[in-house]
């Protein structure tokens, strides 16, 4: 017969784990998360369990199992690699009417540990006839569906309210955070930027209102004031609004302005950070923004106005003197003036530069040049926004990695 599934509330209750190896290492954290008072009996334990012991999270008796160890336990886990020990533990537990899980023999165990997962307030537990790998595979599929919202996300009684400012990451839809994907699936209204991962919008339910808030350079644009008004208006209608942005909402994303507008209107705001393209795009092109012995700092600069523009607040002479990596956003159209300013203020003409277009997307491509030649090279290659410009010796690190890879190819 199949097992009778039951959720045990273990908070404040003693659980005995016999064995200190890899199986115990996997099971103890879940028991602690459930609030159990865990006692481990084993002559030795793994380093991970040792850390929990040192932190006072679990009690450890550094000895073999003894009859009487099951006294006072609500649940017993027999996790040793010695079948005779596990049999003895299970026999004592059975005699004392304590549920016992055996790691080595599902048929001889009084209880099974399911493959479990948790998403928010939802717990998932799967048993598959005692087959742990199959159960784990099914568990993973259900948990993933809950996380990305494909399972019943919008029928939740405790649905979020107000506005969520969600960072969508650098472009690849797989790089949005789990929390961001989950909230997107719960939205009644989505206000999406041009650089947001638009492939995710195809997954929205048909009744979700999708508002295009694209700011096309030198083209159509929805003013920031209008966007703020839309967020407040829809939230006041009782709808849950997701403001989906590229990168991170607070890295040149005007997330702060939208948060203030909502706060002034009394609208609750949830912020979900995203992976900023300033770091992710160079990484996708094989370039670390910092590297030991090369650069211990990096600067992220918005070049929405040129260095000689009176509206610029950037200390270009200071950046030219710096030995750190420069990551330039919105710089392609003004790259000639940027290069001119850096060269004038002291950066070496031989400083390597990489310009990456459509970073993390299938259409990603890159141009590598020196600071003195990069503007002409980018123009000749037809590089267009969105693109990230990386200035500094870390570009050579990326080239070195590519050379090593090429040498190892058959």
């Amino acid at each position: 017969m199949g097992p009778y599934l039951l959720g045990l509330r273990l908070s404040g209750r003693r659980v005995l784990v016999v064995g200190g190896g890899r199986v115990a290492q996997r099971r103890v954290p879940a028991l602690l998360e459930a609030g159990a008072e865990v006692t481990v009996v084993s002559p030795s334990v793994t380093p991970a369990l040792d850390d929990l012991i040192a932190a006072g999270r679990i009690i450890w008796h550094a000895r073999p199992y003894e009859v009487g160890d099951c006294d006072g336990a609500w649940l017993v886990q027999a996790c040793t690699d010695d079948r005779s020990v596990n049999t003895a533990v299970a026999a004592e537990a059975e005699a004392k009417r304590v549920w016992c899980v055996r790691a080595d023999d599902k048929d001889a165990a009084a209880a099974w540990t399911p493959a479990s997962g948790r998403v928010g307030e939802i717990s998932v537990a799967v048993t598959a006839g005692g087959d742990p790998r199959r159960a784990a595979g099914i568990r993973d599929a259900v948990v993933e569906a809950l996380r990305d919202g494909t399972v019943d996300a919008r029928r939740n009684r405790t649905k979020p309210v107000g506005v969520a400012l969600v960072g969508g990451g650098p472009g690849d839809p797989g790089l949005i955070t789990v929390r961001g994907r989950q909230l997107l699936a719960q939205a009644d209204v989505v206000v999406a930027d041009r650089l947001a991962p638009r492939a995710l919008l195809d997954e929205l339910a048909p009744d979700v209102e999708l508002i295009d808030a694209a700011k096309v350079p030198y083209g159509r644009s929805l003013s920031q004031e209008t966007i703020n008004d839309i967020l407040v208006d829809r939230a006041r209608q009782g709808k849950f609004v997701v403001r989906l942005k590229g990168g991170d909402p607070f890295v040149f994303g005007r997330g702060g302005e939208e948060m203030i507008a909502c706060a002034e209107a009394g609208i609750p705001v949830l912020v979900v950070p995203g992976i900023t393209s300033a770091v992710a795009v160079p990484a996708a092109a094989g370039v670390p923004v910092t590297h030991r012995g090369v650069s211990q700092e990096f600067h992220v600069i918005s070049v929405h106005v040129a260095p000689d523009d009176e509206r610029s607040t950037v200390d270009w002479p200071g950046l030219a003197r710096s030995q750190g990596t420069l990551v330039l956003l919105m710089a392609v159209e003004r790259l000639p003036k940027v290069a001119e300013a850096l060269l004038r203020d002291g950066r070496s003409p031989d400083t390597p530069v990489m310009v990456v277009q459509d970073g993390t997307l299938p259409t990603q491509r890159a141009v590598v040049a020196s600071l003195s030649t990069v503007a002409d090279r980018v123009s000749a290659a037809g590089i267009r926004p969105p693109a990230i410009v990386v200035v500094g010796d870390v570009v050579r690190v990326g080239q070195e990695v590519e050379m090593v890879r090429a040498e190892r190819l058959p």
Side-chain angles (χ1 to χ4, degrees), residues 31-80:
L31 294 169
L32 292 174
E33 189 175 342
E37 296 179 357
V38 177
T39 298
V40 174
V41 174
S42 179
S44 61
V45 295
T46 67
L49 290 174
D50 202 22
D51 283 345
L52 294 174
I53 294 164
R57 301 285 308 280
I58 60 178
I59 298 170
W60 178 33
H61 297 311
R63 56 168 174 77
Y65 159 76
E66 297 175 357
V67 174
D69 283 338
C70 293
D71 290 346
W74 292 73
L75 176 66
V76 175
Q77 298 260 359
C79 302
T80 78

Side-chain angles (χ1 to χ4, degrees), residues 337-367:
K337 291 189 176 182
V338 168
E340 178 185 345
L342 291 174
L343 291 169
R344 182 185 64 237
D345 292 320
R347 275 269 177 161
S348 168
D350 296 327
T351 302
V353 182
M354 174 179 279
V355 183
V356 186
Q357 177 182 319
D358 294 342
T360 76
L361 296 173
T363 52
Q364 174 179 310
R365 63 183 182 129
V367 168

Side-chain angles (χ1 to χ4, degrees), residues 159-165 187-191 209 211 226-243 258-259 261-270:
K159 185 177 175 179
V161 296
V163 173
L165 305 179
D188 298 309
V189 180
V190 175
V191 183
E209 181 184 8
I211 298 173
T226 301
I227 294 172
N228 295 347
D229 290 342
I230 290 171
L231 299 179
V232 171
D233 174 71
R234 299 305 191 275
R236 280 178 170 166
Q237 294 178 30
K239 297 178 179 180
F240 176 51
V241 184
V242 168
R243 176 70 169 106
E258 293 167 354
M259 183 172 64
C262 290
E264 290 176 343
I267 303 298
V269 178
L270 172 65

Side-chain angles (χ1 to χ4, degrees), residues 7 57 165 177 184 192 246 322 366:
R57 301 285 308 280
L165 305 179
T177 64
L184 186 63
S322 168

Side-chain angles (χ1 to χ4, degrees), residues 113-273:
T113 296
S116 60
R118 188 174 179 86
V119 180
E121 73 283 359
I122 301 173
S123 295
V124 176
V126 180
T127 62
D131 183 340
R133 291 187 178 181
R134 185 183 180 199
I138 296 171
R139 180 273 317 274
D140 291 344
V142 174
V143 167
E144 179 62 25
L146 285 168
R147 281 177 174 164
D148 65 24
T150 56
V151 173
D152 214 23
R154 301 183 68 215
R155 298 180 183 178
N156 191 337
R157 291 183 179 179
T158 58
K159 185 177 175 179
V161 296
V163 173
L165 305 179
V166 175
D172 181 343
L175 294 178
I176 189 173
T177 64
V178 170
R179 182 62 170 152
R181 187 82 176 259
Q182 185 180 41
L183 291 177
L184 186 63
Q186 294 176 299
D188 298 309
V189 180
V190 175
V191 183
D193 272 355
R194 179 177 66 96
L195 299 181
R198 304 189 75 82
L200 295 177
L201 303 180
D202 290 338
E203 301 176 4
L204 298 176
D207 60 334
V208 175
E209 181 184 8
L210 177 60
I211 298 173
D212 187 353
K215 292 183 173 68
V216 180
Y218 314 110
R220 293 188 304 109
S221 178
L222 200 62
S223 72
Q224 188 60 53
E225 291 74 17
T226 301
I227 294 172
N228 295 347
D229 290 342
I230 290 171
L231 299 179
V232 171
D233 174 71
R234 299 305 191 275
R236 280 178 170 166
Q237 294 178 30
K239 297 178 179 180
F240 176 51
V241 184
V242 168
R243 176 70 169 106
L244 183 62
K245 296 171 169 290
D248 182 275
F250 288 176
V251 180
F252 305 126
R254 295 195 172 185
E257 297 176 43
E258 293 167 354
M259 183 172 64
I260 291 171
C262 290
E264 290 176 343
I267 303 298
V269 178
L270 172 65
V271 178
V272 180

